[in-house]
Amino acid sequence: GAVVSQHPSWVICKSGTSVKIECRSLDFQATTMFWYRQFPKQSLMLMATSNEGSKATYEQGVEKDKFLINHASLTLSTLTVTSAHPEDSSFYICSASNPGQGIPDTQYFGPGTRLTVL
Amino acid sequence: AQRVTQPEKLLSVFKGAPVELKCNYSYSGSPELFWYVQYSRQRLQLLLRHISRESIKGFTADLNKGETSFHLKKPFAQEEDSAMYYCALRVAGNMLTFGGGTRLMVKP
């Protein structure tokens, strides 16, 4: 149980285009989902926290207009990188949690999406 | 602001040797600490959390509030322990702050 999937696992796009990344909790309802970014050989940096049905809370320094997050249902959150540029190339990882799932408040991580912007 | 520090980016040991992956934190509130592990080509997964005081795959970690540390230990390393290990601190709203990670390599 407690599986989180991401789609796509890998995407290459041209500079200026927008890319949508999906994060799904497959066998549980996730009241909260988190989006992280990981640069090569670096740690995970929290970008934003999204709660189902409400606006995401962005970490300092993360542009909310550039990284649009939608958590429309208890099993799906999307991250849209708008007008992507090469510096947005990174590994994006989502996690999901639900107090009633497994160990309380544990975050279950997706496999990540590698974005390469040409 | 909270901070998690893992001073070693790489730790290389021989099979059967003891392992200690260091983690130090700074946080003004009551800390809740975790160790996450990422095996090659796999997703990040929870290894253990301090409030459970459990041993998972032979690993233990004790929270030392005086030294603000949460070091991960295993008495006898196995080759399958080779992975990236991340120490994480949970703050308000279930948010996790991660350390920089330590790559553990266990040589045969």
Side-chain angles (χ1 to χ4, degrees):
Chain A
V3 177
V4 176
S5 70
Q6 282 183 241
H7 178 79
S9 56
W10 186 36
V11 57
I12 301 174
C13 69
K14 292 183 178 180
S15 184
T17 60
S18 294
V19 176
K20 181 185 283 188
I21 302 170
E22 293 185 349
C23 176
R24 292 181 186 274
S25 56
L26 298 184
D27 50 3
F28 68 101
Q29 293 183 327
T31 52
T32 306
M33 287 184 169
F34 303 86
W35 286 96
Y36 296 85
R37 185 173 181 177
Q38 186 177 31
F39 290 106
K41 300 192 178 185
Q42 294 189 30
S43 188
L44 288 80
M45 298 296 294
L46 180 66
M47 298 175 65
T49 303
S50 76
N51 292 294
E52 186 268 338
S54 62
K55 290 185 178 180
T57 302
Y58 290 80
E59 294 301 298
Q60 191 171 11
V62 178
E63 299 176 57
K64 60 181 67 177
D65 293 331
K66 181 165 186 63
F67 298 100
L68 301 179
I69 291 172
N70 186 292
H71 191 164
S73 78
L74 286 171
T75 60
L76 173 64
S77 175
T78 60
L79 168 68
T80 302
V81 183
T82 62
S83 187
H85 290 282
E87 57 265 30
D88 298 324
S89 298
S90 189
F91 197 56
Y92 292 87
I93 303 171
C94 75
S95 70
S97 70
N98 184 318
Q101 177 66 38
I103 302 171
D105 299 337
T106 295
Q107 289 188 31
Y108 298 93
F109 286 82
T113 296
R114 183 162 301 285
L115 170 63
T116 301
V117 185
L118 302 176
Chain B
Q2 67 277 3
R3 187 180 179 90
V4 179
T5 304
Q6 292 178 249
E8 302 142 328
K9 287 192 179 296
L10 173 65
L11 184 62
S12 183
V13 302
F14 284 102
K15 176 182 174 182
V19 170
E20 182 179 53
L21 294 101
K22 291 184 167 53
C23 172
N24 288 90
Y25 67 92
S26 63
Y27 181 50
S28 58
S30 182
E32 187 171 354
L33 286 137
F34 303 78
W35 276 99
Y36 280 83
V37 61
Q38 187 170 29
Y39 299 103
S40 179
R41 300 181 184 277
Q42 294 187 30
R43 69 189 66 197
L44 205 63
Q45 56 186 288
L46 178 66
L47 180 62
L48 54 80
R49 52 195 297 174
H50 91 268
I51 62 173
S52 300
R53 302 186 65 81
E54 58 202 341
S55 174
I56 303 294
K57 299 184 179 181
F59 285 97
T60 59
D62 291 317
L63 178 62
N64 186 323
K65 291 186 178 181
E67 296 182 358
T68 60
S69 69
F70 188 55
H71 303 326
L72 183 68
K73 300 178 184 179
K74 184 169 182 176
F76 308 102
Q78 302 298 315
E79 289 183 68
E80 54 266 30
D81 296 328
S82 296
M84 278 293 294
Y85 291 81
Y86 293 95
C87 182
L89 168 69
R90 191 171 85 172
V91 297
N94 199 22
M95 293 189 298
L96 291 174
T97 297
F98 285 87
T102 299
R103 180 170 295 283
L104 173 64
M105 291 179 59
V106 181
K107 296 176 286 189

